[in-house]
């Protein structure tokens, strides 16, 4: 068996793993990355990037449908579904190729195959031909990600009962689609398919769509989705999903009453489970918790020197969290005394229309913790830029500590929400007070003025409402 020796071995080349590998190489370490599939992981190949390409197609299509309002007479617009899908796949392929380039540039050795631990310092890689290679390593980082979960009794057949992966490449647009779960995946696909004229039903077990968001956000999104023709049922428990020839019947129960809906397909979007099979983590004394690898505040596992980052260590399953954790793990290998990761600084973004972005505490959480807080809110309907570009739905909402002005939470729904949140994440991470945000000059006319005005409102100083 071939054998190699490295300072750091990373298992999984998603946004957690490949970023950690690059960072380690930049620090002068000898680095290997093990990947059995395409470089870039779910994010680049089957998640963040290809879905953003699809969502942009949906936005363009919606724009074309309303072109007359903008002064364009273009008649009926035909959709070439296969091209919509092909563009998304091309985007994913291009970026995955870019990761290959970055691995070469940084002298990172890519071992294609599946990894398993022999001990904390020895990893065996088996390639597609069954050939094995042993990697001896000082440190390792498990960055194997996660895959879609399902519901008990619901079998994914990849054709009519599908996950996000199949939903990205359906050969034809279904006429009707049932989506189970109104988290990020559920609402992004609900927007996408509804925009292309598919009849979408969205069923969510909890009492709101995007239930982990601030409740004002969920309410505005639900109203907007209703106006987009999406049929929403919250507080509804799915009882069964039964494929039958060309259709699938989903039965759910709400307030004691059961309802059956027949659709062309069912998308199950009820969360993810960690990819740990085959790693033989028991060999290094690790036991899973709720299907994920438990870690401390530095992403180090109970096996010292072995780190687990990204989706495989549990929620939040977000690409930027994975990258951040990878970089943090590298810092921690060098210095065990650094502060743990601050998860109150995680931005959470959803790219449906209207977009949603948030950070920190929701208002319900602030109340639950009995915090004394101020709440500033600014609607996009009062923003000159939003009116000019015809994007007046939504608002910016900022929660700040009444005594210190510390930013506690920020919640945005509307145009470019996913870009606007960064100012507030930076503000919080630099420990700025809400006053610092609204005292900073914001260019006019921009959507970011809505952030400034919401911050001013928290201090009772908003000028445009
Ligand atoms: P999620 O956990 O965000 O949402 C799943 C939803 O399904 C929850 O609201 C849950 O209450 C609901 N649910 C669970 N069981 C149900 C049942 N029996 N009937 C009805 N509803 C049920 O998971 P997801 O949307 O599948 O996304 C997976 C992960 O990927 C998440 O961590 C998500 O944040 C991440 N992701 C992020 C983005 C983004 O940042 N834009 C996009 C896609 C996915």
């Amino acid at each position: 068996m071939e054998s190699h020796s490295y300072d750091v071995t990373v298992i999984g080349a998603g946004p957690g793993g490949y970023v950690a590998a690059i960072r380690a190489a930049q620090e002068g370490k000898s680095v290997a990355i093990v990947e059995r599939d395409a470089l870039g992981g779910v994010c680049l190949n089957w998640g963040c990037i290809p879905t953003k390409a699809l969502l942009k197609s949906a936005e363009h299509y919606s724009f074309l449908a309303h072109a007359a309002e903008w002064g364009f007479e273009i008649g009926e617009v035909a959709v070439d579904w296969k091209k919509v899908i092909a563009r998304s796949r091309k985007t994913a392929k291009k970026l995955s190729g870019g990761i290959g380039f970055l691995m070469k540039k940084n002298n990172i050795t890519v071992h294609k195959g599946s990894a398993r631990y022999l001990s904390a310092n020895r990893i065996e890689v088996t390639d597609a031909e069954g050939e094995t290679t042993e990697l001896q390593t000082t440190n390792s980082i498990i960055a194997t990600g996660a895959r879609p979960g399902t519901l008990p009794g619901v079998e994914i057949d990849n054709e009519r009962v599908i996950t996000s992966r199949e939903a990205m490449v359906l050969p034809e647009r279904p006429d009707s689609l049932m989506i189970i779960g109104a988290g990020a995946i559920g609402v992004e696909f609900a927007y996408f398919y509804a925009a292309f004229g598919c009849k979408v039903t969205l069923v969510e077990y909890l009492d709101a769509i995007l239930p982990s968001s601030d409740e004002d956000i969920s309410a505005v999104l639900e109203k907007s989705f209703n106006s987009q023709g999406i049929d929403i049922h919250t507080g509804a428990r799915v009882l069964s999903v039964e494929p039958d020839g060309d259709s699938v019947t989903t039965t759910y129960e709400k307030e004691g009453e059961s309802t059956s809906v027949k659709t062309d397909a069912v998308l199950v979007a009820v969360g993810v489970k960690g990819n740990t099979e085959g790693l033989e983590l028991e060999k290094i004394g690790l036991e899973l918790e709720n299907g994920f690898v438990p870690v401390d505040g530095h992403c180090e596992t109970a096996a010292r020197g072995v780190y687990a980052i990204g989706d495989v260590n549990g929620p939040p399953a977000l690409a930027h969290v994975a990258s951040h954790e990878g970089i943090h793990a590298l810092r921690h290998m060098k210095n065990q005394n650094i502060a743990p990761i601050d998860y109150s600084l995680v931005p959470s973004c959803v790219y449906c229309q209207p977009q949603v972005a948030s950070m920190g505490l929701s208002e319900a959480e602030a109340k639950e913790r009995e915090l004394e807080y101020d709440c500033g809110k600014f609607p996009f309907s009062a923003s000159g830029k939003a009116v000019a570009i015809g994007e007046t739905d939504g608002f910016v909402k900022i929660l700040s500590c009444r005594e210190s002005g510390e930013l506690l939470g920020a919640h945005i729904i509307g145009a470019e929400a996913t870009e606007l949140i960064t100012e507030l994440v930076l503000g919080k991470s630099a420990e700025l007070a809400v006053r610092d945000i609204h005292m900073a000059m914001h260019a006019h006319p921009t959507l970011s003025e809505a952030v400034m005005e919401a911050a001013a409102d928290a201090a009772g100083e908003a000028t445009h409402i």
Side-chain angles (χ1 to χ4, degrees), residues 5 35 41 46 100 180 216 221 238 319 369 414 419 434 447:
S5 184
E35 174 57 63
W46 295 104
I180 304 173
D216 288 352
L221 187 64
V238 170
R369 294 183 192 193
E419 302 290 343
V434 73
L447 295 168

Side-chain angles (χ1 to χ4, degrees), residues 151 180-181 183-185 188 203-206 211 269-272 317-318 349 351:
L151 296 170
I180 304 173
I185 293 183
E188 286 186 1
V203 171
E204 165 57 48
Y205 180 70
L206 295 175
V270 294
V272 291
L318 298 168
C349 297
Y351 299 78

Side-chain angles (χ1 to χ4, degrees), residues 224-291:
S224 172
F225 269 19
N226 282 330
S227 72
Q228 294 176 43
I230 298 167
D231 197 11
I232 297 174
H233 303 278
T234 52
R237 190 166 64 94
V238 170
L239 301 174
S240 64
V241 175
E242 286 164 5
D244 175 21
D246 285 347
S247 63
V248 195
T249 301
T250 304
T251 304
Y252 63 86
E253 183 194 46
K254 183 175 168 154
E255 289 161 0
E257 226 175 82
S258 82
T259 308
S260 293
V261 183
K262 205 174 192 173
T263 50
D264 290 345
V266 172
L267 166 58
V268 181
V270 294
V272 291
K273 53 181 181 187
N275 292 325
T276 54
E277 294 76 6
L279 286 171
E280 299 194 11
L281 296 177
E282 62 284 1
K283 294 249 177 73
I284 52 172
L286 296 184
E287 269 177 38
L288 301 183
E289 272 175 24
N290 300 320

Side-chain angles (χ1 to χ4, degrees), residues 3-274:
S3 172
H4 302 272
S5 184
Y6 297 101
D7 294 326
V8 179
T9 299
V10 182
I11 308 172
Y18 84 72
V19 168
I22 293 172
R23 198 69 208 98
Q26 286 171 342
E27 286 179 359
K29 295 187 158 114
S30 60
V31 186
I33 192 159
V34 186
E35 174 57 63
R36 61 183 168 204
D37 207 332
L39 298 176
V42 167
C43 167
L44 266 67
N45 296 288
W46 295 104
C48 318
I49 300 298
T51 54
K52 263 65 283 166
L54 293 174
L55 291 164
K56 195 69 198 174
S57 289
E59 285 171 38
H60 285 318
Y61 186 57
S62 304
F63 170 75
L64 292 170
H66 295 101
E69 291 166 27
W70 294 87
F72 308 117
E73 293 300 335
I74 52 175
E76 204 177 320
V77 177
V79 177
D80 185 335
W81 183 256
K82 288 197 165 39
K83 277 197 185 155
V84 170
I85 302 294
R87 182 181 174 279
S88 159
R89 300 314 309 151
K90 200 172 145 191
T91 314
K93 202 169 166 202
K94 184 171 176 200
L95 286 166
S96 176
I99 305 304
F101 164 78
L102 288 174
M103 295 299 102
K104 272 202 195 98
K105 184 183 159 207
N106 288 284
N107 292 321
I108 295 162
T109 309
V110 179
H111 290 276
K112 291 297 278 183
S114 299
R116 73 179 178 111
Y117 278 93
L118 303 174
S119 72
N121 302 103
R122 289 168 58 224
I123 293 168
E124 185 184 83
V125 181
T126 307
D127 70 13
E129 280 76 46
E131 297 290 321
T132 56
T133 307
E134 187 177 318
L135 314 182
Q136 286 168 19
T137 193
T138 309
N139 288 107
S140 64
I141 300 179
I142 304 165
T144 47
R147 61 184 184 284
T150 186
L151 296 170
V154 177
E155 198 184 321
I156 306 291
D157 67 13
N158 300 332
E159 277 184 27
R160 301 225 163 254
V161 185
I162 61 176
T163 69
S164 54
R165 188 159 175 146
E166 295 75 46
M168 257 170 256
V169 288
L170 284 183
E172 284 168 16
R173 190 219 67 182
D175 287 336
S176 55
L177 178 67
M178 162 66 73
I179 300 181
I180 304 173
I185 293 183
V187 303
E188 286 186 1
F189 278 106
Y191 164 73
F192 172 72
Y193 277 103
F196 278 110
C198 170
K199 178 70 205 146
V200 174
T201 309
L202 184 56
V203 171
E204 165 57 48
Y205 180 70
L206 295 175
D207 286 336
I209 62 170
L210 287 185
S212 55
S213 299
D214 185 274
E215 61 189 32
D216 288 352
I217 296 271
S218 298
V220 168
L221 187 64
E222 181 162 345
K223 200 166 157 217
S224 172
F225 269 19
N226 282 330
S227 72
Q228 294 176 43
I230 298 167
D231 197 11
I232 297 174
H233 303 278
T234 52
R237 190 166 64 94
V238 170
L239 301 174
S240 64
V241 175
E242 286 164 5
D244 175 21
D246 285 347
S247 63
V248 195
T249 301
T250 304
T251 304
Y252 63 86
E253 183 194 46
K254 183 175 168 154
E255 289 161 0
E257 226 175 82
S258 82
T259 308
S260 293
V261 183
K262 205 174 192 173
T263 50
D264 290 345
V266 172
L267 166 58
V268 181
V270 294
V272 291
K273 53 181 181 187

